[in-house]
């Protein structure tokens, strides 16, 4: 199968197209994806939340226009999951909110927000390690110790650079520990990004890329600018606010899901291919299908991890609520109003 239509409880449909020769069009209020002569998927446009295209599938101009009118984001990735960008409308632009983002960039608000997010990120990483540590025979005492030291030092940071330095130290020990907990044959030795040098890192990179795009679209829908961040410093062609807000979700959504795929034997070595030119590992078409299905099910999972919400919400909805909480904190210029997600 080359076209995935994912829809979970409380979630609208999300269309993932992974076949290069697919054609996406619209007629009779339905999005149609045609592949070869005998395969066609139809989705009522009213039920569609987003479209993600991996590779070289084609979309008609009429379909693009309808998606922009309805605020349906269309995201483009390479065949192996590198994010290129998004087709978007201007309907959600809120200039006053974007001016506020700029004003708060070099401020005490940015530093305090960064402390809260990065400490929560490290705590979530510790929880993920602890969950798998209980089932293993390896020792993670050193890794956990160094992560807690870094977490504690963040409280006393007087600059964003200090903050990022301690977070980076915690991340090194975290991935060192995570590598010990992964079952054979997915053992890995630290994080490798561009390109991913093993199968496990390949899944992490793809997961982070998709998560970044999820948050990017939600930021835009709230009238904020994805490129005006607080923690990550200005960087050409990089959505720094999306990077900021995905930090607390990395271990919660991506890392835990990839561990489940690997240690649950839901994905196999044969689901990867090894690039000869760059030495990188990438998912095959079949592997991509498995990964995307798992990822979307994860986003539709309902939990009670948000402290300020008494009922269960999906991870996808929780990300919306977190961005709304950020806006409230920005408008009050009080970073303490932002409560990052923390798992247990």
């Amino acid at each position: 199968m080359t076209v995935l239509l994912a829809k979970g409880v409380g979630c609208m449909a999300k269309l993932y197209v992974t076949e290069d020769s697919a054609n996406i069009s619209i007629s009779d209020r339905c999005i149609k994806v045609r592949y070869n002569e005998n395969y066609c998927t139809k989705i009522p446009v009213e039920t569609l939340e987003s479209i993600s295209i991996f590779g070289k599938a084609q979309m008609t101009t009429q379909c693009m226009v309808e998606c922009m009118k309805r605020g349906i984001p269309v995201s483009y990735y390479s065949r192996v999951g590198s994010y290129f960008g998004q087709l978007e409308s201007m309907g959600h632009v809120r200039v006053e909110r974007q001016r506020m983002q700029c004003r708060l960039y070099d401020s005490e608000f940015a530093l305090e927000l960064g402390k809260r997010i990065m400490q929560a990120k490290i705590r979530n990483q510790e929880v993920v390690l602890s969950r798998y540590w209980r089932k293993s025979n390896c020792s993670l005492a050193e890794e956990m110790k160094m992560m807690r030291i870094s977490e504690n030092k963040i409280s006393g940071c007087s600059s964003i650079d200090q903050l990022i330095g301690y977070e980076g130290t915690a991340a090194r020990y975290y991935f060192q520990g995570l590598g010990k907990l992964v079952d054979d044959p997915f053992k890995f030795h630290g994080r490798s990004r561009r390109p991913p040098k093993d199968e496990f890192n390949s899944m992490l990179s793809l997961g982070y890329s998709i998560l970044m795009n999820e948050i990017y679209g939600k930021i835009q829908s709230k009238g904020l600018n994805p490129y005006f961040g607080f923690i990550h410093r200005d960087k050409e062609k990089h959505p720094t606010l999306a990077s900021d807000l995905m930090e607390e979700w990395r271990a919660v959504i991506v890392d835990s899901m990839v561990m489940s795929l690997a240690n649950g034997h839901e994905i196999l070595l044969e689901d990867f291919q090894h690039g000869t030119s760059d030495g990188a590992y990438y998912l095959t078409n079949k592997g991509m299908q498995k990964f995307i299905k798992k990822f979307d099910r994860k986003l539709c999972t309902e939990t009670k991890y948000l402290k300020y919400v008494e009922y269960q919400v999906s991870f996808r909805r929780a990300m919306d609520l977190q961005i709304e909480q950020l806006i409230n904190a920005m408008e009050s210029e009080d970073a303490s109003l932002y409560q990052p997600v923390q798992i247990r």
Side-chain angles (χ1 to χ4, degrees):
M1 184 170 60
T2 57
V3 177
L4 291 175
L5 182 61
K7 188 174 183 180
V9 177
C11 296
M12 291 182 69
K14 298 178 73 69
L15 177 64
Y16 299 87
V17 182
T18 62
E19 174 55 52
D20 285 345
S21 61
N23 181 271
I24 308 165
S25 61
I26 186 167
S27 64
D28 301 325
R29 302 174 67 90
C30 283
I31 301 290
K32 297 180 179 180
V33 185
R34 187 172 297 280
Y35 168 55
N36 292 333
E37 294 299 322
N38 302 319
Y39 187 90
C40 184
T41 296
K42 296 181 181 180
I43 312 104
V45 68
E46 293 86 357
T47 68
L48 191 59
E49 181 179 355
S50 67
I51 300 173
S52 297
I53 299 173
F54 293 81
K56 300 177 181 179
Q58 301 296 311
M59 176 179 283
T60 66
T61 301
Q62 292 90 335
C63 189
M64 288 182 182
V65 170
E66 189 65 24
C67 286
M68 286 188 286
K69 285 181 178 179
R70 292 177 176 270
I72 299 172
V74 180
S75 304
Y76 292 89
Y77 299 83
S78 72
R79 179 66 189 80
V80 295
S82 297
Y83 180 58
F84 292 138
Q86 189 177 95
L87 176 69
E88 59 195 46
S89 69
M90 303 301 292
H92 299 298
V93 173
R94 297 280 296 274
V95 175
E96 71 280 7
R97 285 184 176 174
Q98 296 188 13
R99 290 187 188 279
M100 182 169 53
Q101 282 181 265
C102 292
R103 183 167 50 81
L104 294 174
Y105 177 70
D106 281 317
S107 68
E108 189 65 22
F109 175 90
L111 179 59
E112 291 306 313
L113 179 71
K115 290 179 181 180
R116 298 177 72 82
I117 288 176
M118 289 307 193
Q119 284 183 315
K121 175 186 179 179
I122 297 172
R123 292 188 195 111
N124 290 336
Q125 290 174 330
E126 291 171 352
V127 172
V128 170
L129 289 183
S130 296
R131 287 176 178 176
Y132 286 90
W133 188 11
R134 301 188 201 108
K135 306 172 186 177
S136 74
N137 296 320
C138 66
S139 173
L140 295 185
E142 179 67 12
E143 287 84 358
M144 297 293 276
K145 173 186 173 183
M146 296 305 296
M147 289 176 68
R148 290 190 183 110
I149 289 174
S150 296
E151 179 191 336
N152 291 334
K153 286 187 175 180
I154 284 177
S155 298
C157 286
S158 58
S159 70
I160 292 291
D161 287 341
Q162 277 187 323
L163 171 69
I164 292 175
Y166 288 129
E167 184 277 327
T169 299
R172 286 194 296 275
Y173 282 100
Y174 168 67
F175 285 112
Q176 179 177 304
L178 201 63
K180 293 180 180 180
L181 297 171
V182 182
D183 291 346
D184 290 330
F186 287 99
K187 291 286 186 183
F188 73 104
H189 304 284
R191 182 81 175 101
S192 60
R193 297 172 177 81
R194 301 182 185 90
K197 295 296 185 180
D198 54 68
E199 295 88 352
F200 196 90
N201 271 292
S202 176
M203 290 190 287
L204 288 179
S205 293
L206 176 59
Y208 295 152
S209 182
I210 298 175
L211 177 62
M212 168 80 77
N213 178 52
E214 282 276 344
I215 294 176
Y216 185 107
K218 293 179 182 301
I219 289 171
Q220 284 192 318
S221 72
K222 304 297 182 183
L224 298 174
N225 190 315
Y227 291 85
F228 295 171
F230 297 109
I231 306 169
H232 295 85
R233 301 288 84 183
D234 288 345
K235 185 177 179 181
E236 185 181 2
K237 299 179 182 178
H238 184 77
T240 51
L241 183 59
S243 289
D244 291 351
L245 296 183
M246 73 180 283
E247 293 292 0
E248 66 195 75
W249 295 107
R250 286 178 183 263
V252 178
I253 293 175
V254 178
D255 301 356
S256 60
M257 185 206 73
V258 172
M259 283 293 288
S260 177
L261 280 169
N263 284 16
H265 310 293
E266 298 176 48
I267 204 159
L268 308 172
L269 288 185
E270 64 194 49
D271 291 317
F272 295 84
Q273 55 189 356
H274 189 197
T276 55
S277 59
D278 58 4
Y281 285 81
Y282 303 110
L283 283 161
T284 63
N285 194 31
K286 181 179 179 181
M288 183 75 79
Q289 304 284 335
K290 292 180 181 180
F291 187 93
I292 291 175
K293 283 183 179 179
K294 181 82 170 181
F295 193 93
D296 205 79
R297 284 199 300 269
K298 181 75 174 183
L299 291 183
C300 288
T301 300
E302 295 191 345
T303 71
K304 292 185 68 175
Y305 286 142
L306 297 184
K307 295 180 180 178
Y308 56 90
V309 176
E310 296 182 356
Y311 48 89
Q312 288 189 333
V313 295
S314 69
F315 282 121
R316 190 169 271 134
R317 174 58 180 151
M319 286 188 277
D320 274 322
L321 293 173
Q322 287 296 85
I323 296 170
E324 291 173 6
Q325 189 184 201
L326 172 65
I327 292 170
N328 291 335
M330 289 168 55
E331 290 175 344
S332 302
E333 297 190 24
D334 184 357
S336 69
L337 298 179
Y338 187 80
Q339 301 179 61
V341 65
Q342 290 187 41
I343 57 176
R344 300 179 289 275

